Amino acid sequence: MADAPEKIGPFTELAREYGPVVWKTLSDNLPRDLRWNWLLLMLAIALAIFLLRGGRGAKGADGRERRCGIVQFLLPKDIYTHVSARVDVALWIFERALKPVWALLLLGSLGPFIERSVIGALTSGFGPGPAIEPNLAWMLFYSFVLLLGYDFTFFLLHYAEHKVPALWAIHKVHHSAEVLTPLTRYREHVLEGPLYSIAAAIGYSVPAALFAWLFAGSITPITVLDIGLFTLVFGFNGAFRHYHVQFHYPRWLALWLQSPAMHHTHHSYLPQHWDTNMSVVTSIWDRLFGTLYIPERDEHTPWGLRPAEQADCRSFRQNVTAPFRDWYRMIRAPRSRYQPSSTA
Ligand SMILES: [Zn+2]
Ligand SMILES: [Zn+2]
């Protein structure tokens, strides 16, 4: 067995060629995060909703549905001139600038480490693996497992961010958005990037290692228009769920997949909406953890933190300093009002 060629997974392969390859992969992803193809798809669906519902279906800055003309429907002035939308832009620039750093440090090192460890454990426990020949069905299955793997680690981290006060102090920056724009997806505190990079490294590399052990050669996920299937689902969902137009799914589908409109309730500060719909893609984990909430059509969803908390988290500076201020208050008064969001 000592003579058998070492089995390596895609993360390790990438890390071995390090430097230019990793940087190229990361920089290729930089300007494409709001891809024209899914933004166009989003606008086409929004236009269809406008036509089907006779000008209804879009929400205003107050989170209330209203009837309006086409321009106001697609690009409402009260949302895009809101201070929250400006803070989105500033936080997006920070998030984009730091993303390659976190990706390089964590995805580029932790991913291969986990992958090697899992492959090593499987090989020592069960031998070199069955060396299955990959075909289209397996590739589709692999894409699906990767999607579920990341969806679950994302859910767990997001759930913890809502329930653990020290983590909520970081995540509340995403929830201090008082209006939703496609850029709100990237509205996060600089400290949140490393957390999600760790989650991504675990969520992708464990299934990647398992499949690298099972298959002969390397198995690749299915791509659509040169974009990974799961990247497409994440990207499209990420942009639309932070758009003010309500894109609902039929109830039977919403029980399995998160519709973009379901994220409107995640951002609402009403008690019945708080801590709901924490997954990105599937509804499976929310159902298992009892946090699924399927909103009615035109349900009022006032976005942001509860008004008392919002006043401290409006400007760019307030958002950047928010976790440090909260941690300081927690240390000074551990049993103060800085409790998990659901109990406050
Ligand atoms: Zn959240
Ligand atoms: Zn969000």
Side-chain angles (χ1 to χ4, degrees):
M1 192 181 292
D3 296 323
E6 191 198 357
K7 209 156 215 191
I8 57 167
F11 272 101
T12 313
E13 234 170 81
L14 189 70
R16 290 219 168 146
E17 291 174 48
Y18 237 102
V21 176
V22 176
W23 273 116
K24 186 176 182 315
T25 310
L26 295 171
S27 58
D28 279 355
N29 284 316
L30 260 183
R32 293 191 297 167
D33 52 285
L34 288 172
R35 291 169 204 248
W36 62 267
N37 39 8
W38 62 54
L39 281 179
L40 277 184
L41 184 59
M42 190 180 87
L43 281 176
I45 293 171
L47 196 61
I49 294 170
F50 175 83
L51 294 171
L52 285 170
R53 295 198 56 197
R56 305 215 73 109
K59 291 177 180 172
D62 57 0
R64 281 192 195 283
E65 194 276 339
R66 65 206 171 164
R67 186 191 206 113
C68 48
I70 183 71
V71 176
Q72 180 74 354
F73 187 94
L74 295 176
L75 211 65
K77 198 175 168 194
D78 58 340
I79 287 184
Y80 288 90
T81 56
H82 198 285
V83 61
S84 173
R86 285 205 298 276
V87 173
D88 276 6
V89 176
L91 285 166
W92 171 69
I93 292 168
F94 264 72
E95 195 268 350
R96 288 291 97 183
L98 287 167
K99 190 101 181 169
V101 178
W102 306 135
L104 188 68
L105 287 178
L106 296 165
L107 268 177
S109 56
L110 187 64
F113 171 75
I114 297 171
E115 214 169 56
R116 279 198 303 273
S117 308
V118 173
I119 292 173
L122 286 169
T123 307
S124 62
F126 305 101
I132 305 166
E133 284 299 329
N135 57 25
L136 196 66
W138 277 120
M139 283 162 71
L140 200 63
F141 180 63
Y142 179 43
S143 304
F144 182 64
V145 172
L146 278 181
L147 186 76
L148 279 187
Y150 184 64
D151 199 43
F152 183 54
T153 44
F154 180 97
F155 175 86
L156 281 184
L157 174 57
H158 195 186
Y159 189 86
E161 285 183 319
H162 275 255
K163 300 294 182 185
V164 179
L167 294 177
W168 170 247
I170 298 173
H171 183 55
K172 73 193 272 189
V173 171
H174 183 64
H175 283 270
S176 70
E178 294 166 88
V179 294
L180 297 186
T181 76
L183 278 190
T184 311
R185 176 188 178 194
Y186 304 99
R187 180 195 177 105
E188 62 180 37
H189 194 273
V190 289
L191 296 176
E192 201 165 18
L195 296 178
Y196 278 98
S197 289
I198 292 171
I202 298 168
Y204 288 136
S205 59
V206 172
L210 181 65
F211 279 79
W213 178 78
L214 281 172
F215 288 87
S218 56
I219 179 166
T220 48
I222 295 279
T223 56
V224 179
L225 300 173
D226 209 23
I227 301 171
L229 189 61
F230 58 96
T231 315
L232 183 75
V233 176
F234 273 95
F236 174 68
N237 197 310
F240 211 135
R241 70 202 205 127
H242 292 104
Y243 192 46
H244 64 286
V245 174
Q246 302 172 81
F247 182 18
H248 288 277
Y249 294 166
R251 191 180 162 79
W252 64 266
L253 186 60
L255 286 169
W256 294 100
L257 291 176
Q258 298 270 325
S259 72
M262 285 162 74
H263 201 62
H264 286 194
T265 60
H266 180 71
H267 277 271
S268 160
Y269 61 75
L270 295 181
Q272 66 270 31
H273 295 152
W274 204 244
D275 293 348
T276 60
N277 299 339
M278 300 209 222
S279 272
V280 188
V281 179
T282 76
S283 298
I284 300 169
W285 318 118
D286 278 302
R287 275 166 79 177
L288 285 174
F289 283 71
T291 52
L292 189 75
Y293 186 101
I294 301 175
E296 297 296 324
R297 190 167 83 164
D298 300 339
E299 189 158 330
H300 178 216
T301 53
W303 297 310
L305 301 168
R306 275 158 294 215
E309 223 178 337
Q310 184 73 57
D312 287 341
C313 238
R314 186 159 277 131
S315 69
F316 176 69
R317 187 184 56 79
Q318 283 175 320
N319 276 293
V320 171
T321 56
F324 307 106
R325 284 185 282 128
D326 281 8
W327 291 337
Y328 179 71
R329 286 172 192 163
M330 280 175 216
I331 293 164
R332 290 286 303 266
R335 275 185 288 279
S336 72
R337 66 192 175 92
Y338 292 91
Q339 297 294 317
S341 55
S342 58
T343 58

